[in-house]
Amino acid sequence: MHTEQIKKMKTLISFLPKAAAYFFILLFCYAAVSKLLDYENFQVQLAQSPLLSAYAATVAWAVIAAELFIVILLAFPATLRAGLYASFGLMVAFTVYIYLILNYSDFVPCSCGGILEKMGWTEHLIFNAAAVLLSIVGIWATYCSGTTAEFQRMRFTRPAIILLLIAFFSTAVMIALFLSSEHIIKEGKEFTRRILPHPLVEQEVLNLEKGGFYIAGYSEDELYLGNHGSPLEITTVNLSSRNIRSNFLHIDDKGEMYRMLKIIVMAPSIYVYDGTVPVIYKGTVGNTATTEISRNQAYFNQIAVTNNAGFIIRTRSSSTKEYLLGLLHPDSVPALQLREGVLEKQVDGVFDSDGQLLFDASSDQILYTYAFRNQYIVMNSSGQILRKLRTIDPFDKVQITSISLSNGQHKIGAPALRTNKLQAVYRGILFNISGVMSKSESRKKWRKSTVVDLYRTDRQEYIGSFYLPFSNSVSGILVTNDFFFVLNGTNLNIYRYRDVIKKHFDRGSRKPINRVGKSL
């Protein structure tokens, strides 16, 4: 190669580091400033990342600081090469991050904002890879600005080793963050929600024309509703025709003063119960007649029907007035089996043990979710404790003040923080409406929405969360294989799942490890 040609080539190559520097200065300046101007949204986006959820706050500031620091390095000739090396490292980290998102995460979140907000994840990956190549070219060009002899030798060894070390370090850091964040989030060790992308598709909204409804049960193509204002009325919603019809059940009340009659449908059976009056009636779907199957066997304030025609109940101890769980089998002797100590007392044994009793017919398991602390119990249908698990919020102690009255009643002395508000369970997946806003969560979004957290019941694992587009009006939810039902005021919202949720039904329904603990 002639000397003149080499000079021309050197002139061209000498411009490459500057061109790369201009590009990265523009890119990182815009990215850092846009993140600072909308910092809350940027932090929320990181919190929804399947890779960085647990470190959202730290990573948010670290990324902004790194981008601005690199801009400073690139702005001065003496530190330009160092700036290009730093740009290479950061872009490798971003590229590895996207690769892990696309190939190893449980779901692919929505695209991030900023300069690349119109790109999908694959386009991001291509853009980042191109930026990595540009930084390599810029670095190589800085080593080609010496003498003609040095230029002709084209030294590659030293920059190649440095680039390999930086690439290894950036990749290792991202993989470590991914693995540790996954462990922290799924184990519930960091109160950060992971919002699942587009988990539901709304099928229909049915206007029930009046309020007071609660979900009584479900069978194949029909949803059954009870009504607090009309206790013996059962409303059936046909999901194929969307026809809504109501009937009234008949019971032999024997002059009893019922205070809280309710209905449970576990097709083909219908159960009518009160609890304040110790009575249970049984009928069949499509027939308004009922037969008394239990009387004076147990008082209770919550009940769930199990697969073996028995009941799990929550009652109160006649001596301590604390909540207890028990098994009720009307045809057995004795009909009721109580065990103290299953519900763990923290303050008064009443409000601190309050919660929701559930039965997962698909996995034949009983659940009890505490209302004022981050715990739920999983039991088998015989009442043996299998696991004690946690929700992701940090409140393992109840945040209430209880006052004992002279007549034995308990009152809450101050407004209580209700951690777990409403639940449903299906095929080993717990759907929990939470009452606590998490770290890195948008306060505006929180106020306008109802958040539902998903957990596995076979082990300690948080799956993710999604928002319902209404707040403080959800009175009931039900999970089935095909539908997610929400009672919202006078409306019944019917949703179908996307795969991001549906795939977990199969995982959650696998036979769990049987860690039998204290028996009921």
Side-chain angles (χ1 to χ4, degrees):
M1 185 179 292
H2 297 297
T3 302
E4 190 62 31
Q5 292 176 315
I6 291 176
K7 287 182 179 180
K8 291 181 180 180
M9 185 171 293
K10 283 182 64 177
T11 302
L12 176 62
I13 290 176
S14 65
F15 179 70
L16 289 176
K18 295 179 181 178
Y22 294 151
F23 171 80
F24 286 116
I25 287 173
L26 177 63
L27 177 65
F28 292 145
C29 272
Y30 182 88
V33 171
S34 64
K35 289 164 188 163
L36 285 170
L37 291 176
D38 196 9
Y39 179 74
E40 181 184 15
N41 184 52
F42 172 56
Q43 191 175 12
V44 168
Q45 287 173 343
L46 283 180
Q48 308 320 320
S49 163
L51 272 65
L52 302 175
S53 303
Y55 305 110
T58 302
V59 170
W61 281 113
V63 168
I64 294 171
E67 289 173 339
L68 293 176
F69 179 68
I70 291 172
V71 167
I72 294 172
L73 292 177
L74 292 170
F76 300 98
T79 55
L80 186 145
R81 182 184 291 172
L84 290 174
Y85 273 124
S87 301
F88 169 80
L90 191 60
M91 294 310 299
V92 167
F94 289 164
T95 304
V96 172
Y97 168 75
I98 294 175
Y99 179 80
L100 292 174
I101 285 281
L102 292 175
N103 293 278
Y104 295 100
S105 66
D106 288 340
F107 62 92
V108 178
C110 299
S111 299
C112 60
I115 196 170
L116 306 177
E117 63 181 349
K118 300 302 181 183
M119 290 186 183
W121 285 102
T122 302
E123 289 79 8
H124 278 206
L125 185 64
I126 295 171
F127 178 89
N128 286 358
V132 168
L133 290 177
L134 177 61
S135 65
I136 293 173
V137 170
I139 292 167
W140 168 77
T142 65
Y143 284 89
C144 299
S145 57
T147 65
T148 300
E150 288 176 332
F151 173 71
Q152 288 175 322
R153 285 197 296 270
M154 302 280 267
R155 295 176 296 175
F156 285 106
T157 305
R158 183 180 177 187
I161 293 173
I162 296 174
L163 288 171
L164 285 173
L165 290 174
I166 293 174
F168 175 80
F169 177 77
S170 296
T171 302
V173 167
M174 293 309 303
I175 292 175
L177 286 174
F178 167 55
L179 294 176
S180 62
S181 179
E182 283 290 279
H183 177 72
I184 289 171
I185 292 298
K186 288 186 176 181
E187 290 290 312
K189 296 179 180 179
E190 181 76 11
F191 188 30
T192 301
R193 284 199 170 86
R194 173 180 295 172
I195 304 302
L196 301 172
H198 311 297
L200 302 174
V201 178
E202 188 170 72
Q203 291 290 107
E204 194 165 353
V205 179
L206 299 180
N207 189 339
L208 302 175
E209 297 182 355
K210 64 179 180 179
F213 284 105
Y214 61 89
I215 297 175
Y218 171 83
S219 68
E220 291 189 3
D221 200 36
E222 292 185 322
L223 178 71
Y224 303 96
L225 305 175
N227 194 286
H228 295 289
S230 181
L232 293 176
E233 181 181 6
I234 182 167
T235 299
T236 304
V237 180
N238 187 289
L239 300 175
S240 295
S241 65
R242 298 301 192 257
N243 179 51
I244 300 176
R245 65 183 188 278
S246 294
N247 289 304
F248 288 86
L249 301 175
H250 300 286
I251 63 172
D252 182 6
D253 63 17
K254 299 181 180 180
E256 299 281 6
M257 297 296 293
Y258 296 112
R259 286 185 287 172
M260 46 184 299
L261 275 173
K262 293 188 72 175
I263 299 168
I264 295 177
V265 178
M266 193 167 180
S269 299
I270 297 177
Y271 299 90
V272 183
Y273 65 92
D274 186 296
T276 60
V277 175
V279 63
I280 302 174
Y281 299 92
K282 183 178 180 181
T284 56
V285 172
N287 190 340
T288 60
T290 63
T291 302
E292 181 181 288
I293 62 170
S294 174
R295 178 172 286 272
N296 296 326
Q297 291 179 319
Y299 290 91
F300 53 87
N301 42 54
Q302 283 195 41
I303 189 170
V305 186
T306 62
N307 283 338
N308 58 5
F311 305 90
I312 177 77
I313 66 168
R314 191 186 74 177
T315 185
R316 294 186 70 175
S317 168
S318 58
S319 57
T320 66
K321 307 302 181 183
E322 297 174 3
Y323 283 146
L324 303 173
L325 295 185
L327 293 174
L328 176 63
H329 291 278
D331 297 330
S332 300
V333 178
L336 178 63
Q337 300 177 39
L338 291 176
R339 293 293 185 272
E340 296 185 9
V342 175
L343 299 182
E344 297 178 352
K345 176 181 176 179
Q346 290 187 349
V347 178
D348 59 4
V350 180
F351 294 114
D352 61 347
S353 298
D354 195 11
Q356 186 174 355
L357 186 62
L358 303 164
F359 181 72
D360 185 359
S362 57
S363 62
D364 200 30
Q365 292 183 344
I366 301 162
L367 270 75
Y368 188 82
T369 304
Y370 290 104
F372 299 105
R373 50 176 137 152
N374 65 353
Q375 298 168 15
Y376 59 102
I377 304 170
V378 183
M379 298 164 278
N380 63 21
S381 59
S382 298
Q384 294 175 308
I385 297 176
L386 302 178
R387 286 165 294 281
K388 295 180 180 180
L389 304 175
R390 305 184 312 276
T391 58
I392 58 173
D393 70 85
F395 302 110
D396 56 349
K397 303 294 183 183
V398 295
Q399 309 291 303
I400 61 174
T401 301
S402 177
I403 300 174
S404 297
L405 304 182
S406 58
N407 61 2
Q409 291 186 336
H410 293 264
K411 298 289 185 180
I412 294 180
L417 177 64
R418 196 173 189 88
T419 303
N420 305 309
K421 299 171 70 174
L422 191 64
Q423 296 81 39
V425 63
Y426 179 72
R427 293 183 69 175
I429 304 299
L430 175 66
F431 288 65
N432 177 47
I433 294 181
S434 174
V436 186
M437 188 174 75
S438 71
K439 295 180 181 179
S440 305
E441 194 165 1
S442 169
R443 186 171 298 275
K444 181 178 179 181
K445 183 77 172 179
W446 172 262
R447 289 173 176 170
K448 293 182 177 180
S449 308
T450 294
V451 67
V452 182
D453 300 326
L454 275 61
Y455 303 90
R456 290 181 63 156
T457 64
D458 63 338
R459 66 188 188 207
Q460 181 63 55
E461 182 175 324
Y462 163 64
I463 295 171
S465 306
F466 61 86
Y467 290 110
L468 296 173
F470 27 77
S471 62
N472 301 322
S473 56
V474 176
S475 58
I477 59 174
L478 179 70
V479 184
T480 71
N481 194 63
D482 298 308
F483 300 104
F484 180 66
F485 298 100
V486 180
L487 275 177
N488 170 37
T490 60
N491 291 332
L492 174 66
N493 296 71
I494 304 173
Y495 297 89
R496 281 190 180 272
Y497 314 102
R498 293 188 186 270
D499 287 341
V500 69
I501 288 182
K502 201 170 180 65
K503 68 181 181 181
H504 289 285
F505 286 154
D506 293 330
R507 296 176 185 174
S509 61
R510 293 171 186 166
K511 189 175 181 179
I513 298 173
N514 217 4
R515 297 188 181 89
V516 177
K518 192 180 296 182
S519 173
L520 282 175

